[in-house]
Amino acid sequence: MIFFRRSRLKARAVKQRTRQAAGRTTEALDARLPVAEGGGLLRKPFPDHWSFLLGELALYSLIVLVLTGVYLTLFFEPGMREVVYDGSYAPLSGVRMSEAFDSTLRISFDVRGGLLIRQMHHWAALVFLAAIGVHLLRVFFTGAFRKPREVNWMIGVTLFLLALAEGFAGYSLPDDLLSGTGLRIAQGIMLSLPLVGSYVSMFVFGAEFPGHDLISRLYGVHILLLPGLILALVTVHLILVFHLKHTQWAAPGRTHRNVVGRPLVPHFSATSGGLSLMVFGVTAFLGGVAQINPVWVYGPYRPDQASTGSQPDWYVGFLEGSLRLVPPWETTVAGHTLMWNVLLPAVVLPLALFALLYAYPFAEAWVTGDRREHHLCDRPRDRPVRTALGTAAVSAYAVLLLAGGNDVVADTLGISLNALTWTLRTALIVLPVVVFVVVKRVCLALREAELERLVEGEETGLMRQTVEGGYEEEHRPVGEEERYVVLYGSMPAAPPLPAEGNGDGDGGGEAGRLRSALSHWFAADSRESGRQLRGRPARGSRPPDS
């Protein structure tokens, strides 16, 4: 007994000395660093829902890209000087090629673990861009781009644009026949620019295509300029996420004035850390068992050759598809030829696409007149017009992506390439309209079914006989959480604007009438749902404050 009592006293004394030492360390650090302020951040709540991990998925794939990229830079030679290959891959022995392609082959066949790291790098790039794209879609469909997060939305769109450029630069570095064909297409796009096209091409390539400086220039852009910009914007994005309240799904107890979730440490960090290990594991597995971009099959790039059946990575497939779908339209003005078949799909279309993405948060706020802060996510069905617009755009992107491989599809299915091309041209115009109408009707049908269930209750499957001798089905009230969500979704984002004198600077002119018409078109369905609900009120919890 005396021995155990002494042991407990010693343990207690050790704990006390440990606390004192930790306190002194904290005080010393707090005098030099913002430790006290950082302690509050460690308890910052994060909503516990899988959709909020899409941003973390992009972040951890970026970390894989950085780590594998650092390893590859130790062995890659970004030169276009011609050498004779004498490495381990016998089919290309004695073939003349650039230093860039030679070093890529050596990484793949002679450097220990080189092929694994190179393929991990490529797979992580695909996951990075896919995660950013899906994350942007989640933000769009849930309305998480609204005030006060417009800047963060613009940062996300910029990150996606920079990631596209970074992926294309890295894809072009090996100087194989496939990537060289892509660079030749890029040069054609530069030449399609009116008046300045030839100057832009000479500035980028340093000489007539392909020149001798492009790979070294792309190398600096790929490992320094674009990664630096991406890392800087990711840092700003994370700072804004911490500074602004995190969005969350509507539920009892959640309003625009609070955030309900798990603290950053230890709960959310454990979940996010587990996701990081999964990303590392999956990319390592893919790099080890799933072959990607086998440059040795394509061979070195030669300007007099072009690879057949070639498609770029998926993230620029829409650009390839748009080039294949536009007919050969050209116009000659004052001795200058305007190549509409290249300028429209490869320059005007991307510029218009990203201009719309940047402007959409402000355009929706202008149409609806909604200038309030929003911290609760919309369900896609609760905003039918926005959801229909987004899905219509995705369907157009899918058509362009399919068109980027129309030759392979036609050859695989044994159909006419011309017939497939005309089918895709028609689908590019018709399909988005059909998708818009169908998706909007589906959203309205889902809303109507919810409102009916909210008023009448859920079916139990039981029948009972009335005193008159008839039969009726029993219903039970809808659960409190579902009732709360439906009530919140039935609230319009903002009341429609009047046609005259909207009080926001448009007056009663044509712009004011156009804005009022767009406002009614955007909010009419939600307002109609709210009218139906008020006409048949249901008992239950009230929706959160707007």
Side-chain angles (χ1 to χ4, degrees):
M1 289 294 294
I2 296 176
F3 172 77
F4 287 116
R5 186 177 301 170
R6 289 178 177 175
S7 299
R8 285 196 299 269
L9 291 175
K10 289 181 179 179
R12 191 177 302 167
V14 169
K15 289 181 180 179
Q16 186 175 1
R17 287 195 296 270
T18 302
R19 292 195 194 97
Q20 293 174 352
R24 289 192 297 269
T25 303
T26 302
E27 291 177 0
L29 290 175
D30 188 52
R32 298 164 176 83
L33 299 171
V35 176
E37 291 81 357
L41 294 177
L42 298 180
R43 304 301 297 173
K44 181 178 176 64
F46 280 81
D48 187 18
H49 193 271
W50 66 267
S51 63
F52 298 118
L53 294 176
L54 294 172
E56 278 74 15
L57 182 62
L59 176 63
Y60 295 133
S61 57
L62 175 61
I63 294 175
V64 175
L65 279 171
V66 171
L67 295 178
T68 55
V70 169
Y71 184 83
L72 293 175
T73 57
L74 302 176
F75 306 99
F76 182 72
E77 183 63 38
M80 299 185 70
R81 185 175 62 89
E82 197 172 57
V83 298
V84 177
Y85 180 69
D86 61 351
S88 302
Y89 188 65
L92 291 178
S93 181
V95 175
R96 303 183 69 84
M97 59 186 64
S98 67
E99 291 177 311
F101 190 71
D102 178 77
S103 63
T104 303
L105 292 179
R106 294 186 185 279
I107 290 173
S108 302
F109 295 106
D110 299 317
V111 175
R112 186 180 296 275
L115 182 59
L116 172 65
I117 299 299
R118 181 174 159 267
Q119 296 199 146
M120 282 182 63
H121 190 73
H122 202 127
W123 279 114
L126 299 184
V127 174
F128 178 58
L129 279 151
I132 294 178
V134 177
H135 182 56
L136 285 174
L137 288 176
R138 198 277 301 174
V139 172
F140 176 83
F141 284 118
T142 61
F145 55 80
R146 294 172 295 180
K147 184 181 178 180
R149 297 175 180 84
E150 300 96 335
V151 173
N152 236 6
W153 166 262
M154 298 175 68
I155 290 175
V157 174
T158 305
L159 279 172
F160 188 67
L161 180 60
L162 292 175
L164 290 176
E166 174 75 343
F168 180 76
Y171 175 82
S172 304
L173 285 180
D175 198 30
D176 59 285
L177 187 58
L178 183 61
S179 64
T181 303
L183 285 173
R184 186 61 164 175
I185 295 173
Q187 193 231 7
I189 295 173
M190 298 175 194
L191 292 176
S192 72
L193 297 173
L195 301 179
V196 299
S198 57
Y199 298 100
V200 172
S201 176
M202 291 292 290
F203 174 78
V204 172
F205 290 91
E208 291 291 339
F209 181 87
H212 298 283
D213 303 322
L214 181 62
I215 298 300
S216 58
R217 292 180 178 184
L218 281 177
Y219 186 67
V221 170
H222 182 68
I223 69 170
L224 290 177
L225 178 60
L226 291 178
L229 292 174
I230 290 174
L231 291 174
L233 286 180
V234 167
T235 302
V236 175
H237 179 76
L238 293 177
I239 290 174
L240 289 178
V241 169
F242 272 82
H243 174 69
L244 303 171
K245 289 197 300 184
H246 205 292
T247 56
Q248 58 185 340
W249 294 101
R254 301 176 185 177
T255 70
H256 291 287
R257 299 185 179 91
N258 66 3
V259 178
V260 179
R262 297 184 176 184
L264 176 62
V265 177
H267 298 88
F268 183 79
S269 59
T271 303
S272 187
L275 178 64
S276 69
L277 297 179
M278 291 177 62
V279 172
F280 275 80
V282 170
T283 52
F285 176 77
L286 291 174
V289 303
Q291 180 175 274
I292 187 170
N293 198 24
V295 295
W296 53 88
V297 176
Y298 314 134
Y301 177 67
R302 290 179 52 182
D304 60 334
Q305 295 182 356
S307 56
T308 59
S310 60
Q311 288 81 38
D313 284 336
W314 71 267
Y315 47 86
V316 289
F318 78 99
L319 191 62
E320 175 81 10
S322 61
L323 285 169
R324 298 189 184 197
L325 289 187
V326 176
W329 294 336
E330 294 182 359
T331 303
T332 301
V333 179
H336 296 278
T337 301
L338 295 178
M339 304 168 57
W340 299 111
N341 57 325
V342 179
L343 183 64
L344 288 178
V347 179
V348 177
L349 175 65
L351 290 177
L353 171 64
F354 280 96
L356 287 174
L357 289 176
Y358 280 115
Y360 186 84
F362 308 99
E364 183 176 305
W366 179 79
V367 167
T368 61
D370 186 4
R371 306 293 182 182
R372 299 167 299 174
E373 289 192 3
H374 292 272
H375 302 287
L376 291 178
C377 294
D378 291 332
R379 294 184 307 167
R381 69 182 64 180
D382 294 330
R383 301 292 177 258
V385 174
R386 181 202 296 153
T387 303
L389 286 173
T391 50
V394 171
S395 68
Y397 179 88
V399 172
L400 293 177
L401 187 61
L402 182 62
N406 60 351
D407 53 342
V408 175
V409 174
D411 181 68
T412 302
L413 301 180
I415 59 179
S416 169
L417 177 60
N418 290 332
L420 178 61
T421 300
W422 275 103
T423 301
L424 293 174
R425 286 172 178 170
T426 305
L428 184 61
I429 299 174
V430 175
L431 185 61
V433 178
V434 173
V435 169
F436 179 89
V437 174
V438 171
V439 170
K440 183 179 177 182
R441 297 308 306 173
V442 169
C443 290
L444 293 175
L446 292 173
R447 290 286 302 138
E448 180 65 25
E450 284 184 332
L451 293 174
E452 183 178 350
R453 189 168 63 253
L454 188 66
V455 173
E456 299 180 359
E458 293 181 314
E459 298 179 356
T460 62
L462 300 177
M463 303 294 294
R464 66 179 180 181
Q465 187 174 14
T466 64
V467 294
E468 293 84 4
Y471 295 92
E472 62 181 18
E473 187 176 7
E474 288 189 358
H475 292 76
R476 63 171 175 265
V478 175
E480 180 183 359
E481 183 170 351
E482 182 180 356
R483 189 190 306 274
Y484 190 93
V485 172
V486 174
L487 287 171
Y488 173 73
S490 65
M491 298 165 54
L497 298 174
E500 301 291 340
N502 54 49
D504 200 15
D506 289 333
E510 293 296 329
R513 284 190 286 271
L514 173 62
R515 183 183 182 189
S516 177
L518 290 174
S519 175
H520 280 76
W521 171 68
F522 194 91
D525 303 311
S526 299
R527 192 172 68 257
E528 182 64 26
S529 298
R531 234 188 336 256
Q532 294 174 4
L533 187 60
R534 287 191 296 272
R536 297 180 295 176
R539 294 188 302 271
S541 58
R542 298 174 57 191
D545 298 332
S546 299

